[in-house]
Amino acid sequence: MKKQFYLLLPVVLLIICWRSSNSYFPTDIDHATVLRSLNKTTLEKGRRIYESSCLTCHGANGTSSYPQARSFSKDNLHFGNKPYEMWRTVTNGAGLMAPQSWLSSAERYYVIQYIRETFMKKANPAQYFTITEKYLASLPKTTTSANEQAAITKTQALKGYQKYGQDWFLNHNSNYGTAIHSQLKNHTTSAFTITLDNQIKISYNLLRMGITAAWQGELNLAATKYKKYRGEGEPVIQGKLLEEIDCWQWTYNDKLDSLQNATGVRSPLPKAFLDYHGHYVFNKKVILSYAIGGRDVFELPEALTVAGNIVLAQTLSVTPGTSSQKLIVGHLSKDDTTNPGNTRNFSNIAIVTSAPGIYLSVDVMNNIVLTIPGSAVSQAVQILKLVAKNKQAITSFSSYITSRNTNKIIPNLADMTKGSKPQWTKITETKGMLNANRAHIDPTFRKDAKANDKTKLVSIPADYPYTIDNITLPFNNAYNAWIRPTCLGFKSDGTLLLGTYTGDVWEAKGVDDNLEHIRWRRIATGLFEPMGLKIVQDKIYVTTRNGIVLLHDLNADGETDFYENFFADEDISSFFHAFNFSLETDREGNFYYAKPGEYTDNKDPGNLMKISPDGKKSESLATGFRVNNGVTVAPDDRIFVSDNQGNWMPANKINLIEKGAYYGYVPNLTSSGQWSPDGRIFTKDQLVNDVISPEIVKVPESFYPPVIWLPQEFDNSPGGGVWTDASWGPYGNQFLHTSYGTGWAYYFMTQKVNEITQGAMVALPFQLDAGIQRAAVNPADKQVYVTGLTGWDDAQAVQYGVLSRIRYKGGDGHLIKDVAVVKGGIQLTFNFPLDENLVKNTANYSITQWNYKWTSNYGSADYSIREKGKEGTDKLVVNDVVLSPDGKSILLQIPELGPAQTVRLRLEVTGKDRTKIKDNIYLTIHKIPE
């Protein structure tokens, strides 16, 4: 089976959730009209959608190797085989497949067309429904006008509703400032694109400190996260390329080529040659800060208008130093037919400076080179490039340069690095909702077609000691910024900071007991996909794709003036899934974040990075992760990393990190030029269905086992976790984990047996309004806050972003406090006394166990432990139930209990006060204590 891998964030797109409890059959299209319009063009669009998003689970030829996915070439479709029924399935999800709200209503029919015509028509004709005019006449028609639908979309999208978010932002512009970090298609994995006057855009390759492109027009974000839920595409240039002015590259003493060969195109140069410090914001201007050969440089790009012509001005301020530095600033034009020697002027390139010894010359390759000699004092120079080359423009440019070299006035860049008046002053006020509890589905029913039945939800007991408060996000803001949260943190006074997928950081004040007046303000923007945020001594650190950024407010006006490149990531990939996840610290102040192994060019097969407190040193602690979305550091500095089911990952899991350990992902997969291990290009004879030959990438015999395996029914995409405060009620000073896939929070218990740690997990009963992937404790109120986004698609999500407080409201409730494997069984501890008669009924306990197979396939079926190699699960018998003397613990005696990758325990217990508790516990057992 050919493998294609185009998944967003750590979730498998087509098989992650259950049927929506709010089924949505939009009537904004005329279904018959769309079906009549299907043709070869739409078939090709459907093929691209299928191969990018469906193939991994449903197979290249429509035959699935994934146990939970339908084979279109041979299976009956459980939820209907007529086009409109298939459309509803794609729209709303069914079984373990999620709603595909990232597709437009018409695009859903395109992929259905491809499935029907390619896989069903010949191979599975009984499931191929023939479309007739009578059938078309029966389909829903548009019930609202275009204007009415547009009004509904705007209103609902700006309230955060998932159903409408993509439609709104795809068709309306947003303001993310004048400088954006991103990839730039066909140019670099680490672009920094600055918008200047006159619609001029220049894009720097920050890994080389040179301009990779200049154009007049727009940075097209239509296929990216700024516009779409999945946003697989890279930003692209839209407009007129300005090749006259895009030449700008430091030569590093003529060593650029050899340095690039040594580092590769995804890594920064050694700091002895290039040390990028970050950028300052001064009003709408951007000043880059870096060091070349040990000499600090400020650089200010501007687009000037001279006699009606555009001139690119780049001002440099260079600190003293003994080294001479050269910068290629252009190419000799046809008009400049001779080498004029050392000069300050060409027909379309000139310099203004009062510093002695700075000059322009032409090298043997006809490059125009700026030389900045060593100096005991600081030097400043402005390089000016004329965009147009007609005679009149050149004459005007020459006169302008003569005038400038008379007064030699150059902007003082140091004055622009002390802060300026704020840009993002508009406050968005929202009101939260207390006690916004919504129960999640019982995982028992996750695979059911009617999982939306309210009778299949868990109960939230009246005395449950925790509740959900929803903190309304600034969805409707002055910049039309798409608020899809990815990370959060708190300052010491309780001020909340929130990072978003589109590169913003927002500050919230008024997050108090009542949530009546929450005041949101954007304090930073343009970051490269923040996926982690940590506040240390009230300093804001953010994990981005290109490293860790430290935000500085230099003039105390509440807005970021300097974006410090605190730590430069050493391997930056261009594929949209190559995030850097989480940001946590240990007791010594070291930082930790995770890099995935699949869907990336990462040279390591997924790793955990450790960064020193000063950001100057780094090391890779462990490898073998696939899509490791969450990092949690315990109070004793144990480090836990979650990972997501997929290729070489039979199920989701949470790992305890041992330095140097390998955790299971094998980097032997590639995807048709989109990504590959270390960015290598493999020949056809080295690949079989995009799997690299074992002679090139060896498959290890084993890997370090996780603390717990998490099956899809329970958590289909784990996020990160947090250690709760000791004051947080009965679950105080405990490990809480999140799920991006389900939007649930979990109580996670670990048990060390000899030298190996195993774990158990129970879910809190709450369903959050979107997936959650980060959690943090507010130092002011000691409560737990969780945040996340949807777009990949959690079927229970109603919003595209969520921020909630899990608040301890008092009391103890009736909770499971501990789960431990003991010799001969499982010991369960509760925080309430149990009824000694009812608790001993063994019929109240249902236990099932299974293992997985570790292969290159996407995920694994469940496999019997009794009958090795056979698909299925094993039932375990509880022989007896023994109540502890204090009446709060029971021992389930299970003679057959042994090592198992997943044990599912469903139970019902009754307290002395006649309170009944039903719950599901999931365990991994590596070892039975002696």
Side-chain angles (χ1 to χ4, degrees):
M1 181 186 78
K2 185 178 179 182
K3 291 181 171 61
Q4 295 283 345
F5 311 93
Y6 301 90
L7 307 182
L8 198 56
L9 277 181
V11 170
V12 60
L13 178 69
L14 285 179
I15 51 171
I16 61 173
C17 286
W18 57 94
R19 192 175 182 87
S20 175
S21 60
N22 297 291
S23 292
Y24 172 50
F25 305 137
T27 55
D28 56 346
I29 64 167
D30 186 313
H31 292 261
T33 299
V34 176
L35 285 170
R36 287 191 180 99
S37 72
L38 299 180
N39 53 33
K40 290 182 179 180
T41 299
T42 60
L43 182 69
E44 173 60 20
K45 290 180 179 179
R47 181 192 66 80
R48 290 199 295 266
I49 293 169
Y50 184 88
E51 291 187 353
S52 70
S53 306
C54 316
L55 181 149
T56 299
C57 304
H58 293 279
N61 59 359
T63 301
S64 174
S65 63
Y66 190 79
Q68 285 84 13
R70 291 288 88 194
S71 289
F72 298 121
S73 60
K74 61 181 181 181
D75 291 342
N76 291 335
L77 303 190
H78 285 173
F79 309 110
N81 65 325
K82 297 177 183 178
Y84 179 56
E85 292 171 335
M86 295 175 70
W87 184 90
R88 293 198 305 179
T89 302
V90 173
T91 298
N92 295 286
L96 285 178
M97 190 188 80
Q100 305 309 304
S101 59
W102 62 279
L103 291 171
S104 72
S105 294
E107 286 173 331
R108 297 166 204 176
Y109 274 122
Y110 301 164
V111 71
I112 290 166
Q113 177 194 16
Y114 178 76
I115 291 168
R116 279 168 41 83
E117 300 301 322
T118 307
F119 306 130
M120 297 170 65
K121 190 171 185 178
K122 291 183 179 180
N124 196 5
Q127 287 293 291
Y128 183 85
F129 176 81
T130 301
I131 298 173
T132 64
E133 284 299 319
K134 181 179 180 181
Y135 173 72
L136 292 174
S138 70
L139 298 178
K141 296 178 174 57
T142 303
T143 59
T144 56
S145 68
N147 288 338
E148 289 171 331
Q149 188 61 44
I152 293 170
T153 296
K154 178 179 180 180
T155 300
Q156 299 300 89
L158 298 183
K159 289 181 179 179
Y161 286 105
Q162 183 202 22
K163 298 173 187 176
Y164 303 93
Q166 180 170 278
D167 284 347
W168 172 259
F169 289 98
L170 185 60
N171 295 292
H172 295 84
N173 292 328
S174 301
N175 180 357
Y176 295 108
T178 56
I180 289 178
H181 291 86
S182 69
Q183 323 94 311
L184 185 63
K185 190 171 184 178
N186 300 324
H187 285 270
T188 178
T189 63
S190 184
F192 184 47
T193 302
I194 302 173
T195 298
L196 308 177
D197 290 338
N198 300 298
Q199 288 189 300
I200 300 296
K201 301 280 191 303
I202 57 172
S203 199
Y204 288 86
N205 177 357
L206 293 182
L207 303 178
R208 301 295 176 262
M209 211 56 248
I211 292 179
T212 188
W215 68 100
Q216 189 171 26
E218 300 299 328
L219 181 64
N220 189 327
L221 304 172
T224 72
K225 61 185 176 292
Y226 295 97
K227 295 290 186 179
K228 293 185 174 183
Y229 281 133
R230 281 175 58 85
E232 300 174 9
E234 299 177 45
V236 296
I237 294 168
Q238 178 181 312
K240 179 185 177 183
L241 287 172
L242 303 175
E243 296 178 348
E244 303 89 348
I245 64 172
D246 70 357
C247 188
W248 185 265
Q249 181 61 65
W250 295 92
T251 67
Y252 305 105
N253 297 323
D254 299 322
K255 294 180 179 179
L256 177 59
D257 289 342
S258 61
L259 288 169
Q260 182 150 294
N261 288 336
T263 62
V265 297
R266 304 187 313 276
S267 302
L269 299 180
K271 287 192 174 184
F273 293 90
L274 168 62
D275 188 1
Y276 178 64
H277 299 152
H279 75 275
Y280 293 86
V281 176
F282 185 78
N283 299 326
K284 292 188 177 182
K285 299 181 186 296
V286 176
I287 300 94
L288 293 92
S289 174
Y290 53 92
I292 298 291
R295 298 182 69 179
D296 289 339
V297 178
F298 288 142
E299 177 180 338
L300 169 67
E302 298 174 279
L304 309 178
T305 301
V306 176
N309 299 300
I310 298 173
V311 172
L312 177 64
Q314 288 167 277
T315 304
L316 298 176
S317 176
V318 185
T319 59
T322 58
S323 66
S324 175
Q325 298 297 331
K326 293 183 177 182
L327 176 67
I328 298 173
V329 297
H331 297 288
L332 194 67
S333 70
K334 294 179 181 179
D335 297 328
D336 293 310
T337 56
T338 59
N339 186 341
N342 297 349
T343 182
R344 288 186 177 178
N345 295 301
F346 288 82
S347 63
N348 67 320
I349 300 177
I351 60 173
V352 175
T353 183
S354 59
I358 297 180
Y359 62 89
L360 293 174
S361 62
V362 179
D363 67 12
V364 296
M365 301 297 292
N366 277 349
N367 294 317
I368 299 175
V369 180
L370 175 73
T371 297
I372 303 175
S375 174
V377 298
S378 294
Q379 300 158 293
V381 60
Q382 189 174 64
I383 301 92
L384 299 116
K385 303 180 186 180
L386 178 66
V387 173
K389 286 191 176 182
N390 60 73
K391 186 175 181 180
Q392 183 178 357
I394 291 173
T395 300
S396 299
F397 182 66
S398 178
S399 299
Y400 174 73
I401 296 302
T402 300
S403 172
R404 288 291 310 278
N405 274 311
T406 299
N407 57 48
K408 294 184 172 61
I409 296 175
I410 297 176
N412 186 331
L413 302 192
D415 288 346
M416 299 182 182
T417 61
K418 300 172 184 177
S420 65
K421 62 181 182 181
Q423 297 184 64
W424 319 116
T425 57
K426 300 292 185 181
I427 302 297
T428 301
E429 185 166 316
T430 66
K431 180 180 179 180
M433 178 180 292
L434 302 181
N435 302 310
N437 297 334
R438 182 160 68 104
H440 66 65
I441 192 171
D442 187 320
T444 305
F445 306 115
R446 281 289 298 276
K447 299 178 183 179
D448 289 8
K450 296 182 178 180
N452 54 327
D453 190 327
K454 291 183 178 180
T455 63
K456 295 179 179 180
L457 301 179
V458 300
S459 64
I460 303 176
D463 68 344
Y464 197 75
Y466 301 95
T467 189
I468 296 294
D469 300 331
N470 283 338
I471 301 162
T472 306
L473 292 163
F475 297 121
N476 190 0
N477 58 77
Y479 320 109
N480 198 42
W482 201 352
I483 306 300
R484 299 165 69 194
T486 53
C487 49
L488 81 164
F490 292 91
K491 289 187 175 180
S492 56
D493 64 355
T495 298
L496 184 148
L497 281 303
L498 186 88
T500 74
Y501 187 28
T502 49
D504 285 351
V505 176
W506 289 74
E507 177 186 87
K509 293 184 179 292
V511 181
D512 54 21
D513 291 346
N514 298 319
L515 303 179
E516 289 283 341
H517 302 284
I518 307 165
R519 298 176 302 282
W520 290 94
R521 179 184 175 187
R522 181 159 77 178
I523 67 163
T525 191
L527 295 167
F528 199 168
E529 296 167 2
M531 288 286 162
L533 188 152
K534 189 71 177 180
I535 298 178
V536 180
Q537 296 179 344
D538 282 351
K539 294 180 179 180
I540 307 168
Y541 297 81
V542 184
T543 304
T544 66
R545 190 186 287 223
N546 47 6
I548 301 175
V549 177
L550 174 56
L551 306 180
H552 296 268
D553 177 6
L554 301 175
N555 56 2
D557 64 358
E559 193 168 299
T560 300
D561 302 296
F562 179 45
Y563 295 73
E564 180 187 346
N565 186 36
F566 177 76
F567 171 74
D569 192 273
E570 297 166 358
D571 197 337
I572 304 170
S573 297
S574 62
F575 193 67
F576 80 102
H577 206 288
F579 309 107
N580 288 333
F581 291 114
S582 287
L583 188 60
E584 298 297 334
T585 54
D586 62 18
R587 289 176 292 183
E588 295 179 352
N590 297 297
F591 294 88
Y592 299 88
Y593 69 84
K595 295 176 68 67
E598 193 168 15
Y599 317 124
T600 174
D601 292 331
N602 192 2
K603 62 187 175 184
D604 287 327
N607 54 327
L608 175 68
M609 295 295 298
K610 177 182 179 181
I611 315 300
S612 62
D614 60 4
K616 294 180 179 179
K617 297 178 182 178
S618 66
E619 63 176 313
S620 176
L621 285 185
T623 62
F625 303 104
R626 179 182 168 267
V627 183
N628 37 354
N629 185 12
V631 178
T632 309
V633 180
D636 59 4
D637 284 349
R638 285 179 298 158
I639 304 169
F640 297 85
V641 176
S642 67
D643 209 347
N644 280 259
Q645 182 197 58
N647 305 96
W648 289 114
M649 206 58 57
N652 306 285
K653 61 179 182 174
I654 299 175
N655 306 283
L656 176 61
I657 300 306
E658 293 288 335
K659 187 173 182 179
Y662 164 72
Y663 287 87
Y665 177 72
V666 181
N668 67 348
L669 304 173
T670 182
S671 183
S672 304
Q674 296 290 320
W675 55 269
S676 68
D678 202 17
R680 294 173 60 186
I681 298 174
F682 297 92
T683 60
K684 288 184 178 180
D685 62 320
Q686 294 173 323
L687 298 171
V688 178
N689 293 330
D690 286 339
V691 178
I692 303 165
S693 166
E695 296 179 1
I696 300 172
V697 179
K698 296 186 183 302
V699 177
E701 293 183 1
S702 63
F703 56 89
Y704 197 85
V707 178
I708 191 169
W709 293 98
L710 300 171
Q712 291 289 93
E713 67 185 43
F714 190 57
D715 183 357
N716 55 4
S717 184
V722 69
W723 220 268
T724 65
D725 188 81
S727 65
W728 199 62
Y731 282 157
N733 193 30
Q734 299 296 327
F735 193 170
L736 214 66
H737 213 266
T738 66
S739 173
Y740 172 80
T742 62
W744 302 358
Y746 303 85
Y747 172 44
F748 184 30
M749 298 153 279
T750 63
Q751 176 188 15
K752 190 170 184 179
V753 181
N754 296 336
E755 296 304 314
I756 195 161
T757 300
Q758 54 200 27
M761 187 174 275
V762 295
L764 277 64
F766 306 118
Q767 176 64 59
L768 280 301
D769 286 344
I772 53 175
Q773 64 176 30
R774 300 290 176 263
V777 173
N778 184 339
D781 64 13
K782 312 301 183 185
Q783 306 293 350
V784 173
Y785 291 71
V786 294
T787 196
L789 68 164
T790 294
W792 286 269
D793 270 300
D794 179 349
Q796 291 294 326
V798 294
Q799 297 198 286
Y800 51 73
V802 67
L803 172 64
S804 295
R805 174 170 64 194
I806 308 177
R807 173 168 51 89
Y808 172 57
K809 64 181 184 180
D812 291 326
H814 293 73
L815 303 177
I816 298 170
K817 283 302 299 289
D818 192 33
V819 178
V821 177
V822 297
K823 187 176 182 179
I826 298 173
Q827 182 171 294
L828 307 176
T829 301
F830 302 84
N831 71 340
F832 59 96
L834 301 164
D835 183 291
E836 60 182 325
N837 293 316
L838 295 177
V839 80
K840 293 182 178 182
N841 183 355
T842 59
N844 290 333
Y845 310 93
S846 172
I847 305 178
T848 309
Q849 66 174 6
W850 63 88
N851 278 346
Y852 306 100
K853 277 190 178 180
W854 178 51
T855 71
S856 63
N857 290 336
Y858 200 104
S860 169
D862 302 337
Y863 286 90
S864 169
I865 297 174
R866 289 195 193 109
E867 301 179 67
K868 293 188 182 300
K870 181 181 178 181
E871 287 194 27
T873 61
D874 306 322
K875 294 284 187 181
L876 297 181
V877 176
V878 177
N879 277 7
D880 197 7
V881 180
V882 180
L883 184 66
S884 64
D886 67 359
K888 292 185 177 182
S889 294
I890 53 175
L891 171 61
L892 305 182
Q893 294 185 344
I894 313 163
E896 198 181 354
L897 188 70
Q901 290 177 329
T902 293
V903 174
R904 180 181 61 212
L905 167 57
R906 293 172 176 158
L907 59 89
E908 179 179 306
V909 296
T910 304
K912 268 191 172 182
D913 59 3
R914 297 295 176 176
T915 299
K916 286 187 177 181
I917 299 296
K918 294 176 63 176
D919 216 329
N920 297 272
I921 304 171
Y922 289 78
L923 306 88
T924 290
I925 302 174
H926 296 301
K927 198 165 188 177
I928 305 292
E930 295 295 330

